[in-house]
Amino acid sequence: QTLSITFNQAVPAGASIRVQVFGVFFPNADADYNLSATVGFSNAASETIEVLPTIHVTALPWYEAAAKWLERQQWVQDWNSVLFLKLFLNPPLLISSFPVVLNGFLMALGIVLCAFPLAIPVGLGLALMRISRIGILRGIASFYVNVVRGTPLFLQIYIAFFGLPLAGLNIPNFPLGVIVLFMNSAAYMCEIFRAGIQSIPKGQFEASRSLGMNGAQTMLFVIIPQTVKRVIPTLTSEFILLYKDTSLLAAVGIMEVVMYAKTIVASTGSITPYIVAALFYLAITLPLAKIVGNLELKLAGSDTGSSTPVNGKKKIKFSDAIKGQGRAFKPASVVVPAGVGVAGSLGEKEGISPEQMSSL
């Protein structure tokens, strides 16, 4: 309702001052709003210099109109009569804050989509340095990983956003946020890739060398493709963590999900915008968590030699294993309990002849 502008230095006589205000909220449609300007001097009393032109609002955005309609509904009034529901799940505020928080969602998504692809090659490079035979490379990578993983991301953000300007290095907020997040994520990806590389059997290295490949060719064409396949679920989890970490950028003024929600909460006194922000986070994290689970099951099934995950959805009949139908495991040895009755009943149930049972 009131905008105050203070000049720390004296304004020259006869100077023209132009003020532009964006994001002004007009609560009602088909209404007139009168604005006035007052100027005060350090050596004189304040005075109103002029009345600004009347502002006539002709229409509201669709979400504001929907919120106004909801406020007039009896069930909404009964709902908001409960203090807890009004604070955390206010229907009109839920609707009106959605498009505003959406802007922050797009900002957060843009940051993570830029930071994550940059962190992958950096993390892989650090992993190769950590397993290198050159001590200097191992030392540099270990120092970087230990420092980044050993300090809070919140502190790293503060150092970048407040320390760099003091050093004379001014970087816009968006690219600086991307840099801080991808450098932090790269340290964690380094350990992910290192664990994946070291999980590859040593026989793969020896087989590649026997084919005439050197160390670089072995790593590029044999080891890294297998490593990427194994670490995909973990990398997806890292993407989820990185997306949630964008909320920390609200502390330095980047207008992402939490920052937009915080602005609305400050003006309304309701926690509902934070609930809207949580919904935007869940819209990304829940599907990705499901994808991670499916990838882990699929990779577990491929590691056991089965074309389908071992999750109880598909079973291989014992008779198919004997007759050689479908893909089935072939045990090195089978222990059959003593007693013809056990083997006979099993053969009858699965349709196996006594000759097949005796050969088994």
Side-chain angles (χ1 to χ4, degrees), residues 33-322:
Y33 292 88
N34 297 317
L35 305 177
S36 62
T38 301
V39 61
F41 301 94
S42 58
N43 56 357
S46 300
E47 59 178 289
T48 301
I49 55 174
E50 65 176 289
V51 176
L52 302 180
T54 300
I55 298 177
H56 179 70
V57 179
T58 58
L60 291 175
W62 66 267
Y63 51 90
E64 292 291 349
K68 290 294 181 181
W69 178 82
L70 282 175
E71 289 178 353
R72 297 190 297 266
Q73 305 305 308
Q74 184 61 43
W75 71 270
V76 175
Q77 298 175 8
D78 296 339
W79 177 280
N80 287 338
S81 63
V82 181
L83 181 60
F84 178 84
L85 297 178
K86 182 179 180 180
L87 285 177
F88 290 90
L89 290 172
N90 188 337
L93 191 55
L94 198 68
I95 297 297
S96 61
S97 61
F98 184 87
V100 179
V101 180
L102 177 62
N103 295 326
F105 168 74
L106 297 177
M107 171 66 76
L109 197 60
I111 291 175
V112 73
L113 289 179
C114 292
F116 188 76
L118 293 174
I120 292 176
V122 176
L124 180 58
L126 289 172
L128 296 176
M129 291 172 62
R130 291 209 69 179
I131 63 176
S132 173
R133 296 180 180 179
I134 304 176
I136 297 178
L137 296 180
R138 290 199 311 270
I140 294 174
S142 299
F143 176 79
Y144 177 84
V145 171
N146 292 332
V147 169
V148 172
R149 297 179 66 196
T151 55
L153 175 58
F154 193 74
L155 179 61
Q156 298 168 19
I157 292 174
Y158 263 64
I159 292 175
F161 278 82
F162 298 124
L164 293 181
L166 294 177
L169 185 59
N170 294 305
I171 303 176
N173 285 348
F174 183 87
L176 185 57
V178 171
I179 292 173
V180 174
L181 289 183
F182 100 74
M183 292 184 66
N184 178 271
S185 181
Y188 291 90
M189 288 190 182
C190 168
E191 294 302 289
I192 294 173
F193 281 116
R194 183 174 68 89
I197 292 173
Q198 293 179 341
S199 68
I200 304 298
K202 294 185 179 299
Q204 298 283 338
F205 294 89
E206 298 171 355
S208 301
R209 291 300 180 89
S210 66
L211 294 176
M213 292 185 178
N214 56 32
Q217 292 174 329
T218 300
M219 187 64 65
L220 182 61
F221 298 107
V222 178
I223 305 303
I224 291 181
Q226 297 181 70
T227 300
V228 171
K229 177 183 176 181
R230 295 191 177 194
V231 302
I232 283 178
T234 313
L235 289 180
T236 309
S237 298
E238 177 63 23
F239 180 88
I240 296 175
L241 294 175
L242 189 64
Y243 172 63
K244 292 189 295 183
D245 285 341
T246 57
S247 61
L248 298 176
L249 296 175
V252 291
I254 292 185
M255 297 302 294
E256 47 73 63
V257 177
V258 174
M259 191 62 180
Y260 274 104
K262 181 180 178 181
T263 303
I264 303 175
V265 170
S267 61
T268 61
S270 176
I271 308 299
T272 302
Y274 286 144
I275 304 299
V276 176
L279 295 177
F280 277 107
Y281 283 110
L282 292 175
I284 295 295
T285 57
L286 290 182
L288 286 179
K290 181 65 175 178
I291 292 174
V292 170
N294 292 336
L295 286 174
E296 290 176 346
L297 289 175
K298 185 175 181 180
L299 292 176
S302 63
D303 289 341
T304 57
S306 173
S307 60
T308 57
V310 184
N311 55 6
K313 294 184 179 179
K314 183 177 180 180
K315 298 180 180 179
I316 301 176
K317 292 181 65 177
F318 185 71
S319 59
D320 292 341
I322 300 299

Side-chain angles (χ1 to χ4, degrees), residues 322-339:
I322 300 299
K323 299 174 182 178
Q325 300 176 3
R327 293 185 59 186
F329 61 88
K330 182 178 181 181
S333 61
V334 179
V335 179
V336 180

